[in-house]
Each structure stands twice: as structure tokens, then as C-alpha cells.
Amino acid sequence: MELPFAESWKIKMVEPIRRSTLEERRKWLAEAHYNVFQLKAEQVYIDLLTDSGTGAMSDRQWAEMMLGDESYAGATSFYKLEAMIKRLFGMNYVIPTHQGRAAENVLFSYLVKEGNVIPGNAHFDTTKGHIEARKAKAIDVTVDEARDTQLELPFKGNVNIEKLRQVLEDNKGNVPFMVLTVTNNTVGGQPVSMENIKATCALCHSYGVPVVMDSARFAENAYFIKTREKGFADRTIKEIVAEMYTDADAMTMSAKKDAIVNMGGFIGMKRKEWYEGAKLFCIPFEGYVTYGGMNGRDMNALARGLDENTEFDMLHTRIHQVAYLASKLDEYGIPYQRPAGGHAIFVDADKVLDRIPKEEFPAQTLTCELYLEAGIRACEIGYMLADRDPVTRENRFGGLDLVRLCIPRRVYTDNHMNVIAAAMKNVYDRRETITRGVAIEWEAPLMRHFTVQLKRLG
Ligand SMILES: *Cc1c(COP(=O)(O)O)cnc(C)c1O
């Protein structure tokens, strides 16, 4: 008999978690204004809010913490991190930052000017925020197929090359760079193929436009290239990563994702002049250039995490778990963005709560219902997150309305996946009774989803 699959690690330390009652959850959710970001973590049983900074570090990473060099300038920890980034991505200039958005803030402060246009395959919310805050425009050039959640395609995160060409053609001289996000988080953790990465870089370069790779989940993207794209099955993850970055000009990284650290990020660059320019913003915003926003020990753990999580077994364990949850949802007939993404399942709330009008935020409502059902905290990636058009101030109802079940790395077991799937099924089974959604009582002018206050209708 063929041996079944099992995790490529064993557990050395555990953290107790606690269940709650429906009565408790009703009270807590009302106190949180129906915004799960406002819940206390201890009010949550299984936390699927994000895979960002929530992974479990390995014993090797903890060992590296003890070797951290906390020197203000020129710490060994910086050089260890820099060497790893050079080795994996071929980026010769490295600035550590405290997380991914800080990398964006530093680099974009140098690169983005008012009125610029920055195309990308569905910019992440902070990326878009940093562009729009500088009065520049982020234009989405993701393939149209990404919007059809039921279409099963291997690389739904891809750039639509024709759309990109149009943006570059219409905005000649006004595009400081293009953002290529791997995997494409916003459309459901969907990967970008190697072929598409190369075509995107070639097209941008033919217009003299550099490519910045938003790299939070570069390793998961490489896993999908290995397992789905012709010609890569026999290549190692590290070889694939090196090839993904061959033509890129720079990268911003949220190390809280695929580097499996609790806090950290960096900018990697190939152009010396960008490094010199970004440096000027690093010092006032983040700190001196050899630590940016990080401790020596954290840079050590980050370097180690990059090395570990570019090994096939580690990635296979993770993506297998996400696929397992997807198979349970299939069993119960619950619609989600197909195929399952690398770090999360994105449930199609419009299809589940189809009686709720979009003005009442179906995905936000489903997030509330899942919490009430079992104390599971998911995250709305839909109309609330899409925010308002910066010019018209109208809600942006044009995209997908999804509930993201985000799986932290090396944290939960498949038994937890069973609980999540069962809770989702229970909500799904009573979907016809959920006819009203939520309404906004207060919202911030930018990135409202973190702090929005809602009331429950009906
Ligand atoms: C998380 C993320 C960021 C921002 O990184 P933080 O570490 O959360 O600041 C940027 N882009 C993508 C694709 C991300 O997933």
C-alpha cells in the first residue's frame, strides 16, 4: 500500500486555544461593531484572519534568534539576510523594513509622483493605498478569467498582456514601474505562470518600464509553477525562484508570509540608483540601512525562513492542507474561487448569501455568520476592502465579494480544517434565512476595512 501523505515537520511546542458559546460570541461581535478586526484574539477559536505574521517558526529559526547581532550598523545579521536575498533572488541591494507595507512606503516614496499610473495584477490593499495616497493611479491588469470564480485554470493570477500593453501605450512617460504580485492575493492567492512573468517583464522593458515584484508569496507561486507549468516538474523550488526573478528589477517583500516570521520585510533591488534613492527614505521612516525596521535576531530568523520555505516538502505540506480544506468544501457544495489558492480559500459570498444586495455587503455578513457559528475569524476580501473610488467616493462594487479563509503556516492541523468546513456547511445550510446584511455607521477615508463600524440590518 502506498504510504499516505503527512506533514514534513513534527510539533515541539503548543499553544492552547479555547472555544466559546454562541451567547458570548453574539455579545463580542456586537461590541466589535460587526468588524472582526475589532475582536480580541482570545475571543477567537480558530483564527483565519490572515496568514501574515501568524506562522509558526521552526526550531532552527528560534536558534537563529539567539545568534542575532544587535549592533546598530553593519550587524552580521544584516549580511546574513543580504546574502540569502542575493542568493535566492539575485537582488544585490537590500534594505530591511519592518514589514511589506514599509518596503512599499520607502520604495514608493522615491519612485511615485503625483499623477503617475502604476499597472499591476490586482494591487494588494496597502500597495494601492501607498499609490493612491501619493495621488497616483493603480490600474488592474489581471486576466478577466480571474473574475469567474468557478473557472478552473492553473494560473488565474496572470497579467492580461494586452491590457498591460494598452496602459503602457496610453501612459507613455508616466509609468514609473509596474507591480507584479506573486501569488496574486487579491483574486484568491492565484499564481502567475513563469511564461506570464517573462512576458510581463519583456513588455514592460520594451516600454522602458521597470518591474517591481510584490513577493509576499513568491515561494507558493514557485510551487505552483513546479506542479502546474510544463517543463518545471524536475526543477527545484530555488531554481524556479531564481528564474522568476531573472528579469525583475526590484522586489518588495512581506516576510510575514512566505518567510514565516512574525514581523519583517525588505526591499531587494538590482539598480544602484534605486538603492541610493530609497536609502534616503529608509533612514527617517525605518532606521539605518543595515537594520531598517528590524532587530538583528529577526533578520537572522528571516534569512533562515527564506531558506527553509523554498524547499519543496515545506511548501507541499502547506498547500496540501489548503487543498484538503477545499476538498471538504467541495463535498458540501460550497462555492469558492477555483482552484484553491496557495494560502487561503476564498469563498464566493455573492453565491452563498445571494439574497443580500451588494449594498449590504454579503461577504462581510458571511464573515459575521461564520464567527457566530463557531468562533472562526475569517476576513472579508470584497466590497468593504475595495473601498470607495478616490474621485467619485462611490463604493466600488465592480469586483469579487469574497470571504477569505486564510491558513497560517504550520499552525493548525487537518482536524481544525474539518471544524472550519463543518461550520461553513452549517452557515451554508441556513443561507436562505440570512436575508439582510450590514450597513456602515462609521468609516475611515482610506483602508476602511480595518476600522469600519457596522450595524446589522434586519
Ligand atoms: C501582506 C502583503 C503586503 C503588505 O505586507 P505587510 O507585511 O502586511 O505590511 C503587500 N503585498 C502583498 C501581496 C501582501 O500579501
Side-chain angles (χ1 to χ4, degrees):
M1 166 180 194
E2 194 186 339
L3 294 180
F5 168 81
E7 290 75 10
S8 66
W9 35 258
K10 59 181 177 172
I11 296 164
K12 187 171 274 185
M13 187 181 279
V14 297
E15 176 182 346
I17 51 177
R18 174 184 168 274
R19 290 210 240 197
S20 52
T21 64
L22 178 59
E23 202 173 293
E24 284 175 321
R25 293 195 289 276
R26 281 207 177 110
K27 175 169 166 284
W28 294 333
L29 190 60
E31 286 168 1
H33 301 279
Y34 299 91
N35 177 355
V36 294
F37 279 100
Q38 303 296 315
L39 288 170
K40 292 179 177 154
E42 61 190 3
Q43 296 167 341
V44 174
Y45 173 42
I46 300 175
D47 205 346
L48 309 182
L49 187 66
T50 174
D51 64 329
S52 180
T54 54
M57 291 210 299
S58 68
D59 56 352
R60 323 279 143 113
Q61 284 178 290
W62 282 106
E64 282 291 342
M65 300 280 286
M66 296 304 295
L67 299 172
D69 176 355
E70 306 303 340
S71 303
Y72 191 91
T76 59
S77 300
F78 171 74
Y79 292 108
K80 200 180 260 187
L81 176 61
E82 187 193 49
M84 184 60 68
I85 294 167
K86 280 185 188 174
R87 190 182 123 206
L88 288 174
F89 307 103
M91 297 285 169
N92 284 326
Y93 300 97
V94 174
I95 293 178
T97 60
H98 77 276
Q99 59 183 100
R101 69 199 63 189
E104 292 163 357
N105 189 30
V106 169
L107 186 63
F108 293 8
S109 291
Y110 169 60
L111 292 177
V112 180
K113 304 282 179 292
E114 185 173 336
N116 280 168
V117 165
I118 295 150
N121 54 337
H123 309 69
F124 183 69
D125 58 349
T126 63
T127 317
K128 189 183 241 162
H130 277 302
I131 291 168
E132 291 179 348
R134 288 171 176 82
K135 298 196 163 59
K137 200 170 164 201
I139 300 183
D140 182 17
V141 292
T142 309
V143 291
D144 293 328
E145 292 85 345
R147 298 165 62 90
D148 180 350
T149 62
Q150 298 314 294
L151 207 58
E152 190 105 22
L153 288 174
F155 293 103
K156 267 174 131 174
N158 276 355
V159 170
N160 179 323
I161 298 293
E162 274 319 306
K163 266 196 221 172
L164 175 61
R165 190 192 309 280
Q166 201 59 55
V167 174
L168 296 174
E169 193 60 41
D170 293 347
N171 297 282
K172 274 187 188 156
N174 195 29
V175 182
F177 59 94
M178 185 267 179
V179 184
L180 181 57
T181 305
V182 292
T183 55
N184 187 330
N185 184 357
T186 312
V187 304
Q190 298 292 326
V192 180
S193 71
M194 187 73 86
E195 187 185 5
N196 193 252
I197 293 173
K198 286 184 188 291
T200 298
C201 290
L203 179 62
C204 285
H205 291 162
S206 76
Y207 281 85
V209 171
V211 175
V212 176
M213 301 234 323
D214 183 352
S215 305
R217 299 181 186 81
F218 74 95
E220 291 170 3
N221 201 96
Y223 173 92
F224 286 122
I225 288 174
K226 181 176 169 74
T227 54
R228 293 181 183 172
E229 192 164 347
K230 208 167 153 268
F232 292 94
D234 297 328
R235 307 277 293 280
T236 66
I237 297 292
K238 284 187 169 69
E239 287 166 353
I240 294 170
V241 169
E243 191 167 334
M244 284 166 63
Y245 285 84
T246 304
D247 301 327
D249 298 273
M251 66 191 291
T252 54
M253 173 80 189
S254 169
K256 303 170 72 169
K257 323 286 175 43
D258 268 355
I260 324 192
V261 289
N262 302 117
M263 189 56 74
F266 60 85
I267 311 167
M269 292 153 285
K270 290 184 183 166
R271 301 171 174 221
K272 184 157 195 301
E273 72 274 18
W274 281 22
Y275 172 67
E276 295 298 336
K279 228 160 85 171
L280 301 176
F281 294 98
C282 177
I283 294 172
F285 290 164
E286 290 289 292
Y288 182 64
V289 288
T290 60
Y291 72 87
M294 296 189 76
N295 298 307
R297 54 180 173 273
D298 290 337
M299 287 191 278
N300 271 17
L302 166 44
R304 179 72 215 185
L306 287 172
D307 195 14
E308 263 176 21
N309 204 35
T310 44
E311 289 298 324
F312 180 78
D313 287 353
M314 196 59 82
L315 290 161
H316 186 58
T317 297
R318 163 166 186 65
I319 289 171
H320 186 275
Q321 184 172 57
V322 177
Y324 174 72
L325 176 58
S327 73
K328 298 298 288 182
L329 297 185
D330 284 340
E331 209 176 290
Y332 304 142
I334 298 164
Y336 59 87
Q337 168 74 302
R338 307 187 75 89
H343 64 292
I345 308 281
F346 292 67
V347 176
D348 194 343
D350 259 347
K351 290 196 170 63
V352 176
L353 298 184
D354 57 1
R355 295 174 177 227
I356 298 182
K358 58 182 185 301
E359 291 76 14
E360 296 182 13
F361 302 98
Q364 183 69 31
T365 308
L366 184 56
T367 304
C368 291
E369 289 295 330
L370 186 64
Y371 176 72
L372 291 174
E373 182 66 32
I376 295 166
R377 174 158 68 172
C379 184
E380 195 252 21
I381 305 277
Y383 302 143
M384 196 62 74
L385 180 90
D387 225 314
R388 292 176 188 271
D389 184 282
V391 178
T392 67
R393 302 306 299 160
E394 292 295 324
N395 279 305
R396 290 190 271 214
F397 287 126
L400 296 172
D401 197 36
L402 307 171
V403 171
R404 183 179 71 176
L405 307 174
C406 213
I407 313 300
R409 295 169 182 77
R410 312 191 285 211
V411 170
Y412 293 114
T413 68
D414 287 358
N415 285 325
H416 294 111
M417 300 302 120
N418 291 337
V419 174
I420 297 159
M424 199 42 113
K425 178 185 191 304
N426 290 347
V427 175
Y428 189 63
D429 287 349
R430 60 179 167 79
R431 65 189 181 280
E432 309 217 317
T433 65
I434 306 168
T435 55
R436 296 300 305 273
V438 294
I440 295 174
E441 289 200 306
W442 178 87
E443 67 184 286
L446 197 67
M447 289 192 244
R448 65 180 178 187
H449 57 290
F450 292 117
T451 52
V452 71
Q453 296 185 359
L454 304 166
K455 69 171 176 213
R456 193 69 203 261
L457 302 169

